């Protein structure tokens, strides 16, 4: 099993991930641990990354590794069970194309149902924008979708160096901009 992040253009990123049926399967446990290792390695190299969907490292299962306080390290079989009527635009970044950002539209809030690795069911309701946008992004990966599929507006893709050089101008183009200016 590799911890290398698949890059945009990799066919595996377009496949729909399979539901996890046995959390006690040693392969599933090993793959769940690999998600945490992959996040840590990516953050060390690139300085960002709060989550990783299993398909991003070639694991075709519905699992997401998280590096967020108050959340399990891995969530399994997540599904969005509610979406707000409000939408938001934001600049989305991704481990699969770390040098680019894409302006996307997402729901401003969602509720998500999932299992943790112990098999306990969780329902997180009416999440705030940071968690909502992140989980929508990661669940998209489980469904074979990329940020480019959600791109909105003209010039919706920008190189990170251009973005960083003109942060305030790019912030003015979206509804939600969590990065400090």
């Amino acid at each position: 099993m590799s911890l290398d992040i698949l890059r945009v253009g990799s066919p595996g990123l377009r496949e729909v991930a399979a539901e996890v049926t046995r959390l006690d399967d040693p392969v599933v446990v090993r793959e769940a641990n690999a998600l945490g290792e992959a996040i840590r390695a990516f953050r060390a190299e690139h300085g960002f990354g709060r989550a990783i969907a299993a398909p991003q490292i070639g694991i075709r299962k519905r699992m997401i590794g998280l590096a967020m306080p108050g959340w399990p390290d891995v969530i399994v079989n997540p599904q969005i069970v509610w979406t707000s009527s409000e939408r938001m635009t934001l600049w989305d970044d991704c481990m699969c194309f770390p040098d680019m950002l894409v302006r996307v539209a997402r729901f401003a809030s969602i509720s998500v149902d999932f299992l943790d690795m112990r098999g306990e069911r969780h329902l997180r309701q009416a999440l705030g924008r940071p968690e909502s946008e992140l989980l929508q992004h990661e669940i998209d990966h489980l469904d074979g979708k990329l940020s480019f599929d959600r791109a909105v507006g003209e010039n919706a893709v920008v190189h990170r160096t251009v973005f960083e050089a003109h942060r305030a101008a790019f912030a003015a183009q979206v509804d939600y901009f969590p990065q400090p200016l």
Side-chain angles (χ1 to χ4, degrees):
M1 175 181 344
S2 172
L3 297 181
D4 293 335
I5 309 294
L6 297 178
R7 297 295 185 190
V8 167
S10 299
L13 292 174
R14 291 299 189 174
E15 295 177 16
V16 175
E19 184 172 320
V20 176
T21 57
R22 289 197 44 227
L23 295 170
D24 62 343
D25 180 336
V27 172
V28 170
V29 172
R30 214 172 24 256
E31 291 169 336
N33 290 332
L35 291 171
E37 292 175 39
I39 289 174
R40 287 186 292 280
F42 185 88
R43 286 175 70 99
E45 182 178 348
H46 296 281
F48 73 93
R50 298 174 289 159
I52 185 169
Q56 290 179 273
I57 58 172
I59 298 169
R60 309 283 185 265
K61 293 187 177 89
R62 296 190 78 76
M63 299 189 299
I64 298 171
L66 299 172
M68 298 187 332
W71 284 79
D73 292 339
V74 175
I75 63 174
V76 180
N77 299 332
Q79 60 181 356
I80 297 171
V81 296
W82 172 84
T83 59
S84 65
S85 58
E86 181 186 3
R87 304 275 299 192
M88 64 179 169
T89 55
L90 63 123
W91 288 103
D92 203 5
D93 58 10
C94 182
M95 294 178 177
C96 296
F97 46 91
D99 296 328
M100 305 297 287
L101 287 103
V102 180
R103 186 177 44 242
V104 300
R106 297 208 182 271
F107 295 103
S109 181
I110 64 169
S111 294
V112 64
D113 177 80
F114 61 89
L115 297 173
D116 63 24
M117 286 300 291
R118 293 182 310 272
E120 293 179 27
R121 181 160 300 285
H122 299 265
L123 175 62
R124 298 281 176 105
Q125 295 181 304
L127 295 172
R129 287 180 173 203
E131 295 86 7
S132 290
E133 66 91 1
L134 177 68
L135 287 173
Q136 287 173 83
H137 174 101
E138 300 305 334
I139 290 171
D140 272 355
H141 275 299
L142 300 179
D143 294 332
K145 293 182 175 32
L146 298 172
S147 298
F148 299 107
D149 299 323
R150 305 258 187 237
V152 295
E154 290 184 32
N155 302 313
V157 178
V158 63
H159 195 274
R160 188 173 290 275
T161 57
V162 174
F163 181 88
E164 293 298 336
H166 305 283
R167 290 175 72 74
F170 286 108
Q173 296 177 17
V174 294
D175 304 315
Y176 174 64
F177 193 82
Q179 297 87 356
L181 290 177

